[in-house]
Amino acid sequence: VRPPPADVAEPASLAATRAPAITYPLLDSLPAELVSSGKLSSLQLQAVGLCCQRHQVVMPTTPPSRSGFFLGDGAGVGKGRQLAAIVLDSLARGRPRHLWFSSSSDLKTDAIRDLTDLGCFVPVHDGCSSLDKGNKALGLSKDMQAGVLFSTYATLVSATSNQKQKGGSRLAQLVAWCGGTAFDGCLLFDECHKAKNWTGKEESSSKVSAAVLDLQRAMPLARVVYCSATGASDLSNLAYMERLGLWGPFSGFKSFDSFVEGVTKRGVGGLEMLAIEMKATGAYLSRGLSYKGAQFELRVAPLNPSQRVAFDAAAAFWSKHLLPAIEAAAERTGTPLGAVTRAYWGAHQRFFKQLCVCYKVPALVEEVRTALAAGRCVVIGLQSTGEAALDRIADENSTHPALYSLCREMLVTFIQNNFPVTKQADASLTKDLARARSFLESSLISKAEIRAAAAAPTSNPQARSEAAAALSLAVTRCHAASAEVARLELEVAKDALQAGKVDPDCEATRARLVRVAMAELLLPAAALDALIDELGGAEGVAEMTGRKGRMLRQGQGRDRWQWAARAKPESGDMENLNVREARAFMNGTKLVAIISDAASTGISLHSDARVANTRRRVHLTLELAWSADKAVQQLGRSHRANQVSAPIYILLCTDVGGEARFGSAVARRLQAMGALTKGDRRAEIGSLDTFNLDTIWGKRALKALMRAGFEGEVTLLPRLDDAALAQLHDAFTGIGATTPKEREALEVKKFLNRLLGLPLEQQTLLFDLFSAALTAVVAAAKRDGRYDSGVGGNSSCAP
């Protein structure tokens, strides 16, 4: 048995936990050559053996279901090779059909490669399209009788028009191909993090998570494998992993909700103990490539004077002009303010995040040129491509004098689509009318009862007089109630006539704001197209973003810009474009690669010893991912097994204080994910800890900052002078936290989201004060022994 071809590490907390002894006769089914040649390393054989052994266990559910296995190895360890070996074992034991799900159809090529590398030349069918072609009048074609059916999660939740008419689905088609409830082949969920977001209610859960659960329940004896480097970035994302047996009538937790509550209330330590227990029971393994040799650097790209002026102008436009105008227009048109302001803050966050990205382009270009001059090649990671904005100006028959600004397109689109100009029906009038009608009805009933009582014979003059007075009062009340109903019905009718009409003043205000956004704000060119142009154009840059088109220089003087399609729509070339671009980078035809979220899963861009381009990779992060799992997926593209050299990671940030917010969310999730998918929270990328702000300590620091600024408390922060206090109050107004109630509801995430859109001086003051408060809070917690630093340390990995 040969060791792995790269340094593989496991955190000390997991390395100290022994997995169960493997008694499963794995070598009876695998050719000896796979072991002796090192095609399956010792660590890969351990995972395959544990997985197959776990599949021997059938849980006492109703109906009985086979236990599953969670393979949580980090990016680049060789999860695909291990999945292929699991399939090979099942094929050798007479199980002919297997399902393999992944996030992209591009990864079918990798699945075929992993199978053939192990000498397994079983047919790999292309999803449900193969089933559609293979169905004959007398059943499946011979080719479709056996093999591995590779499908994407998107296909799983789809249906053909014929299936929709008959009430069928792709899921039902797959279950039928497998053979229904008796199916005992492999059900592989590669990149299983795509199935997260199950809430327990189908209407509020993602379709993929619901379909993955339904598929497992439809085939209870299937051999399920969950496979992802980031499958447990949040405990709530484990809901689809029912086969792990962590909850249910046979476990310590009756339901998934009670499981989440029980583990969560124990903090990060609870997550760490969960990972240890899962490994000890043979349900879980998670090893990661050692970052030995890799370099992590944080580079600051300070804004130049003109950029600082433009940033402050944009901040002033959003807070001093756009938001007040939106609030006034909402009041004038009767538009609910809550929905409009939520849209405002969402667009506000995206705009300033993109603005920071665009401002970093010149510094990034210099970093790329420096790396190329040093004989290296470059991978650039970003998230948003701006394709929606580009589509709005896409026209192959027209040219533009300058490259479009994504920030400007985002701003103008928000104003045009969300600024209130149409009068809304007054919901309060409708409610008032309903209340008035209810009062009139009760008054009429009361009047009838009083009239009946007054008509009763009596010899008492005083009683007759009182009854007459009560009846007169009831009649008056009914007349008043009837008049109020009539008045409100008229108001509602008038309001209905006005509803839907455009308010000319609001429309004029919207047009004025669009003119200012188009002509007066100095906003940078779109980052992606600017980068490609600066770094050699399409001939020198491998773009793996999934965009259908891009802007290219045209004309003799190359002073015009024109939209150009990246592939002919009718050719089908777009489907394999990412694969072709990756191949061009790996063979050295192109030395710069740009990847977005579309290419952050599965594609290998490392200095593989088997390819022509073995230059050391410099992985530049231009735009941090929204979540830790996406960040890890991107970083894993350039750091994988069998590499000649480890990459250099450079995280590029501006000196805008609020940009650290985007690092804080990622760092917080990285720590939690390290605790669950690696056994302790420090097993993942460490350099992002600098930005870890959104924690329980961050919440306390924010409360301390607000108490210091508005109540004069000086326990953790020094007393502020009048000028600083005035600026602090203005800054809190700028982030929508003016009143005590708004400040009480302010969370760290929201605070940091909105911080990025303040003028730079206010932003720096607020961020510095928050950071100082956070340092003081953490220091006090450590002094009192309340700071949880978790199980630490890493260890070399051995089976």
Side-chain angles (χ1 to χ4, degrees), residues 153-192:
Y153 292 106
T155 301
L156 179 61
V157 297
S158 65
T160 65
S161 57
N162 187 42
Q163 286 172 336
K164 290 178 180 177
Q165 291 174 0
K166 297 180 180 180
S169 66
R170 289 297 196 192
L171 191 150
Q173 187 180 20
L174 290 170
V175 172
W177 180 77
C178 291
T181 56
F183 175 71
D184 64 350
C186 294
L187 181 52
L188 310 177
F189 294 111
D190 190 16
E191 309 298 350
C192 64

mmCIF file of all heavy atoms in Angstrom, residues 153-192:
data_model
loop_
_atom_site.group_PDB
_atom_site.id
_atom_site.type_symbol
_atom_site.label_atom_id
_atom_site.label_comp_id
_atom_site.label_asym_id
_atom_site.label_seq_id
_atom_site.Cartn_x
_atom_site.Cartn_y
_atom_site.Cartn_z
ATOM 1 N N TYR A 153 -27.575 18.233 -10.272
ATOM 2 C CA TYR A 153 -28.685 18.491 -9.348
ATOM 3 C C TYR A 153 -29.789 19.280 -10.041
ATOM 4 O O TYR A 153 -30.962 19.132 -9.718
ATOM 5 C CB TYR A 153 -28.175 19.245 -8.125
ATOM 6 C CG TYR A 153 -27.268 18.412 -7.241
ATOM 7 C CD1 TYR A 153 -25.900 18.622 -7.224
ATOM 8 C CD2 TYR A 153 -27.788 17.396 -6.447
ATOM 9 C CE1 TYR A 153 -25.057 17.855 -6.431
ATOM 10 C CE2 TYR A 153 -26.964 16.619 -5.656
ATOM 11 C CZ TYR A 153 -25.597 16.851 -5.647
ATOM 12 O OH TYR A 153 -24.779 16.073 -4.872
ATOM 13 N N ALA A 154 -29.406 20.132 -10.998
ATOM 14 C CA ALA A 154 -30.410 20.910 -11.730
ATOM 15 C C ALA A 154 -31.337 19.987 -12.516
ATOM 16 O O ALA A 154 -32.553 20.214 -12.590
ATOM 17 C CB ALA A 154 -29.726 21.898 -12.666
ATOM 18 N N THR A 155 -30.767 18.924 -13.099
ATOM 19 C CA THR A 155 -31.585 17.964 -13.851
ATOM 20 C C THR A 155 -32.536 17.220 -12.923
ATOM 21 O O THR A 155 -33.679 16.927 -13.274
ATOM 22 C CB THR A 155 -30.679 16.958 -14.577
ATOM 23 O OG1 THR A 155 -29.818 17.662 -15.471
ATOM 24 C CG2 THR A 155 -31.495 15.946 -15.352
ATOM 25 N N LEU A 156 -32.081 16.946 -11.711
ATOM 26 C CA LEU A 156 -32.891 16.195 -10.751
ATOM 27 C C LEU A 156 -34.222 16.879 -10.459
ATOM 28 O O LEU A 156 -35.230 16.207 -10.224
ATOM 29 C CB LEU A 156 -32.091 16.004 -9.457
ATOM 30 C CG LEU A 156 -32.767 15.262 -8.310
ATOM 31 C CD1 LEU A 156 -33.137 13.841 -8.724
ATOM 32 C CD2 LEU A 156 -31.858 15.233 -7.084
ATOM 33 N N VAL A 157 -34.241 18.204 -10.476
ATOM 34 C CA VAL A 157 -35.471 18.927 -10.131
ATOM 35 C C VAL A 157 -36.237 19.382 -11.373
ATOM 36 O O VAL A 157 -37.165 20.171 -11.277
ATOM 37 C CB VAL A 157 -35.147 20.155 -9.247
ATOM 38 C CG1 VAL A 157 -34.532 19.713 -7.941
ATOM 39 C CG2 VAL A 157 -34.213 21.137 -9.956
ATOM 40 N N SER A 158 -35.836 18.898 -12.535
ATOM 41 C CA SER A 158 -36.500 19.316 -13.777
ATOM 42 C C SER A 158 -37.506 18.264 -14.226
ATOM 43 O O SER A 158 -37.661 17.213 -13.606
ATOM 44 C CB SER A 158 -35.456 19.543 -14.877
ATOM 45 O OG SER A 158 -34.815 18.319 -15.205
ATOM 46 N N ALA A 159 -38.178 18.570 -15.321
ATOM 47 C CA ALA A 159 -39.126 17.631 -15.935
ATOM 48 C C ALA A 159 -39.341 18.040 -17.376
ATOM 49 O O ALA A 159 -39.323 19.234 -17.703
ATOM 50 C CB ALA A 159 -40.451 17.614 -15.181
ATOM 51 N N THR A 160 -39.498 17.070 -18.264
ATOM 52 C CA THR A 160 -39.805 17.389 -19.649
ATOM 53 C C THR A 160 -41.260 17.822 -19.745
ATOM 54 O O THR A 160 -42.062 17.577 -18.836
ATOM 55 C CB THR A 160 -39.568 16.169 -20.554
ATOM 56 O OG1 THR A 160 -40.501 15.143 -20.193
ATOM 57 C CG2 THR A 160 -38.148 15.629 -20.402
ATOM 58 N N SER A 161 -41.611 18.448 -20.869
ATOM 59 C CA SER A 161 -42.999 18.896 -21.048
ATOM 60 C C SER A 161 -43.954 17.705 -21.035
ATOM 61 O O SER A 161 -45.065 17.781 -20.504
ATOM 62 C CB SER A 161 -43.128 19.673 -22.368
ATOM 63 O OG SER A 161 -42.695 18.867 -23.464
ATOM 64 N N ASN A 162 -43.511 16.570 -21.591
ATOM 65 C CA ASN A 162 -44.350 15.369 -21.596
ATOM 66 C C ASN A 162 -44.550 14.841 -20.177
ATOM 67 O O ASN A 162 -45.650 14.420 -19.802
ATOM 68 C CB ASN A 162 -43.698 14.298 -22.473
ATOM 69 C CG ASN A 162 -44.604 13.091 -22.659
ATOM 70 O OD1 ASN A 162 -45.801 13.233 -22.873
ATOM 71 N ND2 ASN A 162 -44.022 11.885 -22.579
ATOM 72 N N GLN A 163 -43.463 14.872 -19.367
ATOM 73 C CA GLN A 163 -43.575 14.420 -17.980
ATOM 74 C C GLN A 163 -44.508 15.323 -17.182
ATOM 75 O O GLN A 163 -45.283 14.855 -16.347
ATOM 76 C CB GLN A 163 -42.189 14.384 -17.336
ATOM 77 C CG GLN A 163 -41.314 13.224 -17.798
ATOM 78 C CD GLN A 163 -39.887 13.339 -17.290
ATOM 79 O OE1 GLN A 163 -39.415 14.433 -16.990
ATOM 80 N NE2 GLN A 163 -39.196 12.213 -17.214
ATOM 81 N N LYS A 164 -44.419 16.638 -17.425
ATOM 82 C CA LYS A 164 -45.287 17.563 -16.708
ATOM 83 C C LYS A 164 -46.758 17.294 -17.013
ATOM 84 O O LYS A 164 -47.607 17.350 -16.124
ATOM 85 C CB LYS A 164 -44.929 19.008 -17.081
ATOM 86 C CG LYS A 164 -43.585 19.478 -16.535
ATOM 87 C CD LYS A 164 -43.269 20.891 -16.977
ATOM 88 C CE LYS A 164 -41.927 21.361 -16.435
ATOM 89 N NZ LYS A 164 -41.576 22.711 -16.917
ATOM 90 N N GLN A 165 -47.046 16.989 -18.275
ATOM 91 C CA GLN A 165 -48.435 16.704 -18.658
ATOM 92 C C GLN A 165 -48.963 15.453 -17.963
ATOM 93 O O GLN A 165 -50.132 15.365 -17.599
ATOM 94 C CB GLN A 165 -48.527 16.527 -20.182
ATOM 95 C CG GLN A 165 -48.298 17.830 -20.951
ATOM 96 C CD GLN A 165 -48.255 17.602 -22.444
ATOM 97 O OE1 GLN A 165 -48.388 16.480 -22.929
ATOM 98 N NE2 GLN A 165 -48.065 18.675 -23.207
ATOM 99 N N LYS A 166 -48.083 14.475 -17.749
ATOM 100 C CA LYS A 166 -48.493 13.217 -17.133
ATOM 101 C C LYS A 166 -48.253 13.194 -15.630
ATOM 102 O O LYS A 166 -48.464 12.160 -14.990
ATOM 103 C CB LYS A 166 -47.731 12.059 -17.790
ATOM 104 C CG LYS A 166 -48.041 11.890 -19.275
ATOM 105 C CD LYS A 166 -47.255 10.724 -19.865
ATOM 106 C CE LYS A 166 -47.570 10.544 -21.348
ATOM 107 N NZ LYS A 166 -46.805 9.407 -21.935
ATOM 108 N N GLY A 167 -47.794 14.337 -15.067
ATOM 109 C CA GLY A 167 -47.545 14.396 -13.636
ATOM 110 C C GLY A 167 -46.279 13.684 -13.200
ATOM 111 O O GLY A 167 -46.118 13.339 -12.027
ATOM 112 N N GLY A 168 -45.365 13.444 -14.133
ATOM 113 C CA GLY A 168 -44.112 12.768 -13.814
ATOM 114 C C GLY A 168 -42.998 13.751 -13.544
ATOM 115 O O GLY A 168 -43.189 14.966 -13.484
ATOM 116 N N SER A 169 -41.789 13.224 -13.369
ATOM 117 C CA SER A 169 -40.619 14.066 -13.091
ATOM 118 C C SER A 169 -39.361 13.296 -13.432
ATOM 119 O O SER A 169 -39.383 12.075 -13.628
ATOM 120 C CB SER A 169 -40.595 14.460 -11.609
ATOM 121 O OG SER A 169 -40.400 13.319 -10.793
ATOM 122 N N ARG A 170 -38.251 14.017 -13.481
ATOM 123 C CA ARG A 170 -36.969 13.366 -13.699
ATOM 124 C C ARG A 170 -36.644 12.431 -12.527
ATOM 125 O O ARG A 170 -36.051 11.366 -12.708
ATOM 126 C CB ARG A 170 -35.870 14.425 -13.822
ATOM 127 C CG ARG A 170 -35.909 15.240 -15.105
ATOM 128 C CD ARG A 170 -35.684 14.374 -16.318
ATOM 129 N NE ARG A 170 -35.354 15.136 -17.502
ATOM 130 C CZ ARG A 170 -35.343 14.628 -18.738
ATOM 131 N NH1 ARG A 170 -35.668 13.351 -18.918
ATOM 132 N NH2 ARG A 170 -35.012 15.373 -19.760
ATOM 133 N N LEU A 171 -37.017 12.856 -11.320
ATOM 134 C CA LEU A 171 -36.749 12.045 -10.142
ATOM 135 C C LEU A 171 -37.419 10.678 -10.277
ATOM 136 O O LEU A 171 -36.796 9.635 -10.025
ATOM 137 C CB LEU A 171 -37.237 12.768 -8.888
ATOM 138 C CG LEU A 171 -36.815 12.194 -7.530
ATOM 139 C CD1 LEU A 171 -36.719 13.319 -6.498
ATOM 140 C CD2 LEU A 171 -37.793 11.143 -7.023
ATOM 141 N N ALA A 172 -38.683 10.683 -10.676
ATOM 142 C CA ALA A 172 -39.403 9.422 -10.855
ATOM 143 C C ALA A 172 -38.763 8.578 -11.962
ATOM 144 O O ALA A 172 -38.703 7.339 -11.870
ATOM 145 C CB ALA A 172 -40.866 9.704 -11.175
ATOM 146 N N GLN A 173 -38.281 9.241 -13.011
ATOM 147 C CA GLN A 173 -37.620 8.549 -14.115
ATOM 148 C C GLN A 173 -36.340 7.857 -13.637
ATOM 149 O O GLN A 173 -36.053 6.708 -14.017
ATOM 150 C CB GLN A 173 -37.303 9.558 -15.219
ATOM 151 C CG GLN A 173 -36.769 8.948 -16.502
ATOM 152 C CD GLN A 173 -36.484 10.018 -17.548
ATOM 153 O OE1 GLN A 173 -36.326 11.199 -17.228
ATOM 154 N NE2 GLN A 173 -36.418 9.615 -18.805
ATOM 155 N N LEU A 174 -35.594 8.532 -12.770
ATOM 156 C CA LEU A 174 -34.360 7.960 -12.232
ATOM 157 C C LEU A 174 -34.654 6.770 -11.320
ATOM 158 O O LEU A 174 -33.963 5.745 -11.379
ATOM 159 C CB LEU A 174 -33.576 9.036 -11.468
ATOM 160 C CG LEU A 174 -32.943 10.144 -12.309
ATOM 161 C CD1 LEU A 174 -32.416 11.260 -11.406
ATOM 162 C CD2 LEU A 174 -31.815 9.594 -13.161
ATOM 163 N N VAL A 175 -35.660 6.920 -10.467
ATOM 164 C CA VAL A 175 -36.025 5.829 -9.560
ATOM 165 C C VAL A 175 -36.460 4.602 -10.370
ATOM 166 O O VAL A 175 -36.099 3.459 -10.031
ATOM 167 C CB VAL A 175 -37.141 6.277 -8.594
ATOM 168 C CG1 VAL A 175 -37.670 5.104 -7.784
ATOM 169 C CG2 VAL A 175 -36.626 7.369 -7.656
ATOM 170 N N ALA A 176 -37.204 4.824 -11.429
ATOM 171 C CA ALA A 176 -37.662 3.717 -12.271
ATOM 172 C C ALA A 176 -36.467 3.011 -12.923
ATOM 173 O O ALA A 176 -36.440 1.773 -13.007
ATOM 174 C CB ALA A 176 -38.626 4.233 -13.333
ATOM 175 N N TRP A 177 -35.470 3.789 -13.396
ATOM 176 C CA TRP A 177 -34.288 3.185 -14.021
ATOM 177 C C TRP A 177 -33.518 2.336 -13.009
ATOM 178 O O TRP A 177 -33.007 1.258 -13.323
ATOM 179 C CB TRP A 177 -33.379 4.271 -14.587
ATOM 180 C CG TRP A 177 -32.136 3.721 -15.255
ATOM 181 C CD1 TRP A 177 -32.047 3.150 -16.492
ATOM 182 C CD2 TRP A 177 -30.807 3.695 -14.703
ATOM 183 N NE1 TRP A 177 -30.745 2.759 -16.746
ATOM 184 C CE2 TRP A 177 -29.960 3.089 -15.662
ATOM 185 C CE3 TRP A 177 -30.249 4.120 -13.499
ATOM 186 C CZ2 TRP A 177 -28.592 2.902 -15.460
ATOM 187 C CZ3 TRP A 177 -28.886 3.943 -13.285
ATOM 188 C CH2 TRP A 177 -28.077 3.345 -14.251
ATOM 189 N N CYS A 178 -33.449 2.813 -11.767
ATOM 190 C CA CYS A 178 -32.720 2.083 -10.731
ATOM 191 C C CYS A 178 -33.432 0.806 -10.316
ATOM 192 O O CYS A 178 -32.792 -0.164 -9.878
ATOM 193 C CB CYS A 178 -32.527 2.971 -9.503
ATOM 194 S SG CYS A 178 -31.371 4.345 -9.763
ATOM 195 N N GLY A 179 -34.750 0.785 -10.435
ATOM 196 C CA GLY A 179 -35.490 -0.399 -10.043
ATOM 197 C C GLY A 179 -36.359 -0.209 -8.822
ATOM 198 O O GLY A 179 -36.872 -1.182 -8.252
ATOM 199 N N GLY A 180 -36.515 1.042 -8.371
ATOM 200 C CA GLY A 180 -37.423 1.319 -7.269
ATOM 201 C C GLY A 180 -36.848 1.015 -5.901
ATOM 202 O O GLY A 180 -35.645 1.107 -5.673
ATOM 203 N N THR A 181 -37.715 0.612 -4.981
ATOM 204 C CA THR A 181 -37.319 0.477 -3.568
ATOM 205 C C THR A 181 -36.295 -0.627 -3.344
ATOM 206 O O THR A 181 -35.588 -0.619 -2.337
ATOM 207 C CB THR A 181 -38.555 0.172 -2.705
ATOM 208 O OG1 THR A 181 -39.205 -0.997 -3.212
ATOM 209 C CG2 THR A 181 -39.524 1.346 -2.731
ATOM 210 N N ALA A 182 -36.164 -1.563 -4.263
ATOM 211 C CA ALA A 182 -35.208 -2.663 -4.078
ATOM 212 C C ALA A 182 -33.792 -2.283 -4.488
ATOM 213 O O ALA A 182 -32.861 -3.060 -4.270
ATOM 214 C CB ALA A 182 -35.664 -3.876 -4.881
ATOM 215 N N PHE A 183 -33.598 -1.116 -5.061
ATOM 216 C CA PHE A 183 -32.283 -0.694 -5.554
ATOM 217 C C PHE A 183 -31.263 -0.681 -4.417
ATOM 218 O O PHE A 183 -31.483 -0.080 -3.369
ATOM 219 C CB PHE A 183 -32.404 0.701 -6.171
ATOM 220 C CG PHE A 183 -31.091 1.302 -6.599
ATOM 221 C CD1 PHE A 183 -30.406 0.796 -7.696
ATOM 222 C CD2 PHE A 183 -30.546 2.375 -5.908
ATOM 223 C CE1 PHE A 183 -29.210 1.358 -8.101
ATOM 224 C CE2 PHE A 183 -29.356 2.940 -6.306
ATOM 225 C CZ PHE A 183 -28.676 2.434 -7.406
ATOM 226 N N ASP A 184 -30.139 -1.365 -4.625
ATOM 227 C CA ASP A 184 -29.088 -1.382 -3.609
ATOM 228 C C ASP A 184 -27.735 -0.983 -4.183
ATOM 229 O O ASP A 184 -26.682 -1.319 -3.638
ATOM 230 C CB ASP A 184 -28.992 -2.755 -2.943
ATOM 231 C CG ASP A 184 -28.585 -3.854 -3.928
ATOM 232 O OD1 ASP A 184 -28.566 -3.587 -5.150
ATOM 233 O OD2 ASP A 184 -28.268 -4.961 -3.462
ATOM 234 N N GLY A 185 -27.766 -0.260 -5.313
ATOM 235 C CA GLY A 185 -26.533 0.256 -5.898
ATOM 236 C C GLY A 185 -26.088 1.533 -5.211
ATOM 237 O O GLY A 185 -26.631 1.941 -4.181
ATOM 238 N N CYS A 186 -25.080 2.200 -5.785
ATOM 239 C CA CYS A 186 -24.509 3.405 -5.187
ATOM 240 C C CYS A 186 -25.338 4.635 -5.567
ATOM 241 O O CYS A 186 -25.751 4.797 -6.723
ATOM 242 C CB CYS A 186 -23.074 3.607 -5.652
ATOM 243 S SG CYS A 186 -21.947 2.327 -5.068
ATOM 244 N N LEU A 187 -25.565 5.483 -4.596
ATOM 245 C CA LEU A 187 -26.225 6.764 -4.792
ATOM 246 C C LEU A 187 -25.244 7.818 -4.303
ATOM 247 O O LEU A 187 -25.137 8.087 -3.106
ATOM 248 C CB LEU A 187 -27.535 6.807 -4.012
ATOM 249 C CG LEU A 187 -28.407 8.060 -4.103
ATOM 250 C CD1 LEU A 187 -28.672 8.452 -5.539
ATOM 251 C CD2 LEU A 187 -29.717 7.849 -3.362
ATOM 252 N N LEU A 188 -24.476 8.384 -5.231
ATOM 253 C CA LEU A 188 -23.367 9.265 -4.890
ATOM 254 C C LEU A 188 -23.772 10.723 -5.046
ATOM 255 O O LEU A 188 -24.162 11.142 -6.144
ATOM 256 C CB LEU A 188 -22.160 8.971 -5.793
ATOM 257 C CG LEU A 188 -21.732 7.501 -5.912
ATOM 258 C CD1 LEU A 188 -20.570 7.364 -6.885
ATOM 259 C CD2 LEU A 188 -21.377 6.934 -4.553
ATOM 260 N N PHE A 189 -23.681 11.478 -3.972
ATOM 261 C CA PHE A 189 -23.979 12.915 -4.014
ATOM 262 C C PHE A 189 -22.666 13.688 -3.934
ATOM 263 O O PHE A 189 -22.233 14.098 -2.863
ATOM 264 C CB PHE A 189 -24.912 13.300 -2.863
ATOM 265 C CG PHE A 189 -26.278 12.691 -2.951
ATOM 266 C CD1 PHE A 189 -26.685 11.717 -2.046
ATOM 267 C CD2 PHE A 189 -27.159 13.066 -3.957
ATOM 268 C CE1 PHE A 189 -27.940 11.147 -2.124
ATOM 269 C CE2 PHE A 189 -28.425 12.497 -4.046
ATOM 270 C CZ PHE A 189 -28.814 11.537 -3.128
ATOM 271 N N ASP A 190 -21.994 13.816 -5.074
ATOM 272 C CA ASP A 190 -20.759 14.599 -5.139
ATOM 273 C C ASP A 190 -21.122 16.081 -5.068
ATOM 274 O O ASP A 190 -22.173 16.489 -5.572
ATOM 275 C CB ASP A 190 -20.036 14.285 -6.450
ATOM 276 C CG ASP A 190 -18.623 14.867 -6.487
ATOM 277 O OD1 ASP A 190 -18.105 15.240 -5.421
ATOM 278 O OD2 ASP A 190 -18.043 14.925 -7.590
ATOM 279 N N GLU A 191 -20.251 16.873 -4.458
ATOM 280 C CA GLU A 191 -20.533 18.306 -4.231
ATOM 281 C C GLU A 191 -21.903 18.445 -3.579
ATOM 282 O O GLU A 191 -22.752 19.232 -4.000
ATOM 283 C CB GLU A 191 -20.471 19.103 -5.548
ATOM 284 C CG GLU A 191 -19.213 18.882 -6.379
ATOM 285 C CD GLU A 191 -17.929 19.310 -5.678
ATOM 286 O OE1 GLU A 191 -18.016 19.952 -4.620
ATOM 287 O OE2 GLU A 191 -16.852 18.986 -6.188
ATOM 288 N N CYS A 192 -22.114 17.663 -2.522
ATOM 289 C CA CYS A 192 -23.447 17.568 -1.922
ATOM 290 C C CYS A 192 -23.888 18.856 -1.233
ATOM 291 O O CYS A 192 -25.050 18.986 -0.844
ATOM 292 C CB CYS A 192 -23.508 16.405 -0.933
ATOM 293 S SG CYS A 192 -22.412 16.581 0.497
#
